[in-house]
Structure formats: C-alpha cells, structure tokens
Amino acid sequence: MTIVTKTASLDGKNASCWTAAAEHTRYLSLAGTHKAETVIVGAGIVGLTAALRLCEAGRSVIVLEALRVGRQVTGRSTAKITTQHGLIYHYLIRNLGRLAAQSYADANRAGLDRILDWAIAHGIECDLEIKPAYAYTTNAARYGEIAAEANAARQVGLEAEVVDRAPLPFDTAGALRFPDQAQFNPVQYAVGLARAVEKLGGRIFEMSRVVSIDEGNRWRVLTDAGKTDAENVVVATNMTIKSPIGMANRTQPRSHTAMAFRLSDSTQFEGFFLGVDDPTRSIRTGRDDKGPLLLVLGPKFNTGQETDVAGRFLELESWARANLPLGDLAWRWCNEDYDTPDRVPYAGLAEPDKSPGFYVATGFNAWGISNGTAAGMLIADRILGRPPSWEKLYDPARPYDEKFHINGESRSMVESVDDIAPGDGGVVVRAEEKIAVWRDISGQLHTVSAVCTHKGCTVSWNNADRTWDCPCHGSIFAADGSVVHGPARTPLHPVDL
Ligand code: FES
C-alpha cells in the first residue's frame, strides 16, 4: 500500500506575512440581545467597507466576526489594489458586451479610489504604495493578446499601455502596464476600517461565529452567546454561510499558494506583476516587522481536489529561486476565493421579493480587494437608496452556467491508518463511517468525522496547511475539526477510532 500524501519539509512560517506586521484587535464577543438597522456577518474588506459607508451616513451597524478582524481571506490575499485583473476587459467585452465591461471597470476604479481616499481620510497606516500594475507574458506568441487587452481597457476608460518587457529580472515578451495602481497590508487596512467604524458608532464583535440567520422581526442573527435583530443582514463571509439562493452552487472554490521571501532591496521592483501564461505567477513586494519581502503566488487549484498542496509550494519556490533574487523563505500560506462562470462577482440583494434586506457578496475571482470594496459599497449604497451603476452587473441572482460548479471527491482515502505517515492525514472508512485521521509528527493520531458539516461531502487532507479541505464548496477545517473557512458553520464532529 502506498502512502497517499507525502510530507513536505517546507521552511517558513505557515501564516500570511501581513498578520505579523499588523496590529491585533481585541473586540468583545457578542453576548445578550442587540438591535441595529444592519448586521454585517464578516469583518473582512467587504463587511467593513459596507459598515463604514453606512456609519458615515449615520446608520446603525453591528459587525460580527467569527475570528479576528481582517485576518481571514482578506488577510491572506495578495493585496493588490488594481483595476488590472489579467486579461479581463477583452473577455468581458467579447462575452458580456461593452457596457458590462464598462461597469466592471467603474466598480473596480471606484473600489481603488475608495481605499486610497479612506486610507488618507482615516489616517490608516497600512504600507500603502502607489505602483504600476503589469500583466506580462514570456511567450512572444501572446503579445497580440496583451495588445488586445490594452485596447479593451482603453475602451472602458482605463489608462493602459503595452511595453516590450516587464521590469523584472527575467526575460518577458511583452507586458500590459496600468499606471497609478496600489498595494498595501490588507490586515492593517481592515484594522483601520474597524477603528473608523467604531469611532462613528458602529459596534464590532469578534470571536462571534454566526450559527444561524433566521427571519425574526425582519432578520435574527444568532451566535452561541447572543443575538442581533436587524432590518438588513449582509453576509460577507467570502463564501456565504447562508443565502436564500445557494451561492455555493454558482461558484467554484479555488485556492492558491503564496510565499514571502526575505529581500535585500525592494526598490528594484518598481511595480507589481501578474503572469498571464500557464502556470501563472504573481509577484509583489511587501514587508513584515523584520523588513522587506518579495511575495510570489502560484496558480489556482480546486480547493480540496489537490493531492499534494505541499508539492505546489516546492514547485513555486523552485521557480522563484531560479528567476528572482530571494533570501530565506519567511512565510507561506494558502488562500481561497471563489470563481464565477462569467468572472464577475455576486453582490447585492439575494432575493429582493422574498427575502427583503438579505444581502450577499461572494465570487471575487481572486480580485477581492478592489471587487470586495466595490461590493461593500454597492450593498451599503443600496441600503442607503442610491445604488451604484454596477449593481445590475453584480446581481447575485443573475442566470449562470450550472455546469460551472463541480462537486469534487476526497483525494485522501486510505485503506488503513497504517498508510498515513507522521505529519500527514488520510480518510479511513470504518463500517459506514468516514473518519479523518491526522497523524502528528510524534505519531499520535487525531480523529474527527470526515463528513463536511455543510452538505456532507468528504473532506481532503491539505498536506501543507494541515487542514481538512472540502472539495465541494470549499469549507476548510483545522486538523482538530474547527472551522477555518465556511460555508460550514459548525466543526467536524468528534469521533474516536
Ligand atoms: Fe459544502 Fe463541504 S463545503 S459540503
């Protein structure tokens, strides 16, 4: 019998580099009964953007965060603040029409501008830097696609030029350049937004995982220790933990690997970069509490459907070391986001007639900083009765290609616990029961049910993050079964071997 997953010896701390450089927040947990006009579930960029916009308009807001402000999907993002999302405008014009492409550009430009304005207005120190964004190819045959994208971007009013090569230490065969884009530390930005929300009277609760959202006087949102009644509920949990129209089936969960290396001189990178070739690579500078970093990201893969996530890290590091001037590996992490069939997010009222006041946002296609800000603005502005021009494009209930979403299968089935090496995990079947088994480095076994608490799919072992990842809708559980990422709201059930 072969061992299903292999143990990787990865250096670097298994966490996002942004968290080390960001302030910690310590908001209380929800307890007792509360009321607000709007309750927002999730203190990432979408939820906090909506919250601040509503607070600025004098509205009453409560934000409920299951863990800590800004440290989940927002805090694991690449944190590029840009309207350049690879080769998208040519695609949107061709498939959805010029007006749709214009709306997408307007939304993301508004998101970019909002972040820059708020960072200044609220004095948020988040390592914000204005830089050009490059989308590059190393394949001369793709130069025409770069030129076509520049042309499409200009058609929707964005400043874009084609250059013969990207300013990178390896050869490229052409690049698209958008000037005046930006990058930052997204955790510190979220912390700053939370502080601004609180100053304007908004209430924020951390370690307050929502366990149910029901119809009450309008909406009643429950945590284990408290409840909130509100006219409006905004589910801003990356994948919605509840939605009247099933957002999980309208999307596909995708993850990617990210690594941050020590860098002696960050000034040699005058922009941030996205490779449009396959496999794609993303590159940007950053910093943590010890100094400058160079971040590289690998291509997306379907969450829970990859047998060797650790191998993806090793492959990414091997490429990075061959092409970039890197010091020691400092940080590495996986992040997850949801793709949509038409590459446009879902944000807004889920079901205006039957579920008034129920708002959702998801499906940012890995461009959640500008798109997430635009989504938060959209939801807040709809509540304020002044919806933006991109509301129709982002309609969460729009028709979609049902074949886009694929329920995957666990990639971690083993016949016996003897097939699981120290540090690895596997799923064994005992009678009718599927058990997720993690063998720690000392050889001790830790077991939980392998049945995802969202809709019952069997989880897969992520041998890099040491998590149980669901191949159906992207829920992620820690090795002890606790929820890291929804749509699941409850832990994997405890079980003994
Ligand atoms: Fe839906 Fe696991 S996330 S079944």
Side-chain angles (χ1 to χ4, degrees), residues 452 454-457 470 472-475 487-488:
C452 177
H454 177 230
K455 289 195 186 293
C457 291
C470 183
C472 285
H473 312 109
S475 288

Side-chain angles (χ1 to χ4, degrees), residues 248 338 407 451-459 469-477 486-488:
Y338 289 74
N407 272 356
V451 178
C452 177
T453 55
H454 177 230
K455 289 195 186 293
C457 291
T458 306
V459 295
D469 300 353
C470 183
C472 285
H473 312 109
S475 288
I476 297 176
F477 304 87

Side-chain angles (χ1 to χ4, degrees), residues 66-367:
L67 298 167
R68 294 285 173 197
V69 163
R71 287 173 182 261
Q72 317 333 310
V73 174
T74 298
R76 291 192 289 266
S77 78
T78 332
K80 294 174 173 176
I81 315 166
T82 180
T83 54
Q84 185 196 81
H85 299 173
L87 306 180
I88 191 162
Y89 296 103
H90 183 68
Y91 165 88
L92 290 176
I93 290 172
R94 205 181 52 216
N95 291 283
L96 304 182
R98 199 185 153 298
L99 285 179
Q102 184 69 60
S103 287
Y104 189 88
D106 292 347
N108 284 282
R109 184 73 232 179
L112 190 163
D113 290 343
R114 174 55 38 218
I115 292 170
L116 301 187
D117 287 352
W118 271 348
I120 293 166
H122 296 288
I124 302 173
E125 291 178 11
C126 52
D127 291 333
L128 184 68
E129 295 176 279
I130 305 297
K131 293 205 169 211
Y134 290 89
Y136 70 86
T137 180
T138 57
N139 178 355
R142 302 197 68 186
Y143 188 88
E145 291 173 60
I146 297 278
E149 178 66 11
N151 187 34
R154 287 192 289 261
Q155 281 185 54
V156 293
L158 299 173
E159 208 177 323
E161 64 173 326
V162 180
V163 294
D164 288 340
R165 63 178 301 278
L168 279 162
F170 55 88
D171 277 345
T172 56
L176 177 69
R177 181 180 189 275
F178 280 26
D180 299 329
Q181 312 294 295
Q183 60 182 24
F184 66 172
N185 177 326
V187 184
Q188 194 57 39
Y189 178 69
V191 169
L193 290 186
R195 192 169 288 143
V197 165
E198 208 184 16
K199 257 191 203 156
L200 291 173
R203 288 166 282 168
I204 297 173
F205 297 93
E206 294 184 312
M207 308 308 289
S208 302
R209 186 173 292 283
V210 168
V211 294
S212 74
I213 302 172
D214 301 310
E215 288 184 49
N217 217 342
R218 176 95 122 205
W219 297 108
R220 173 157 294 176
V221 179
L222 298 178
T223 67
D224 280 338
K227 72 179 174 196
T228 302
D229 288 321
E231 279 293 294
N232 308 300
V233 58
V234 179
V235 182
T237 50
N238 189 238
M239 173 42 62
T240 50
I241 56 164
K242 175 160 178 153
S243 164
I245 54 168
M247 303 314 293
N249 288 332
R250 295 167 186 259
T251 54
Q252 185 64 36
R254 300 243 159 89
S255 296
H256 64 246
T257 49
M259 306 179 101
F261 299 86
R262 298 278 163 224
L263 184 67
S264 55
D265 175 17
S266 60
T267 60
Q268 59 193 305
F269 293 92
E270 61 103 342
F272 52 83
F273 306 87
L274 176 73
V276 301
D277 306 324
D278 188 18
T280 186
R281 311 290 186 196
S282 175
I283 303 164
R284 66 156 282 190
T285 54
R287 61 183 306 109
D288 64 6
D289 50 346
K290 292 200 176 62
L293 297 165
L294 190 67
L295 278 71
V296 294
L297 278 82
K300 297 178 191 173
F301 55 92
N302 285 345
T303 304
Q305 297 183 41
E306 167 62 64
T307 51
D308 186 14
V309 180
R312 285 182 169 265
F313 278 103
L314 298 176
E315 185 212 344
L316 180 60
E317 179 168 5
S318 157
W319 173 84
R321 291 216 178 273
N323 289 282
L324 297 163
L326 304 175
D328 291 341
L329 175 59
W331 304 92
R332 64 170 178 85
W333 66 97
C334 288
N335 200 15
E336 183 178 34
D337 196 15
Y338 289 74
D339 284 357
T340 60
D342 58 7
R343 298 176 65 180
V344 175
Y346 299 114
L349 273 167
E351 202 181 38
D353 298 335
K354 292 194 198 146
S355 308
F358 196 113
Y359 295 83
V360 295
T362 189
F364 302 109
N365 298 276
W367 293 107

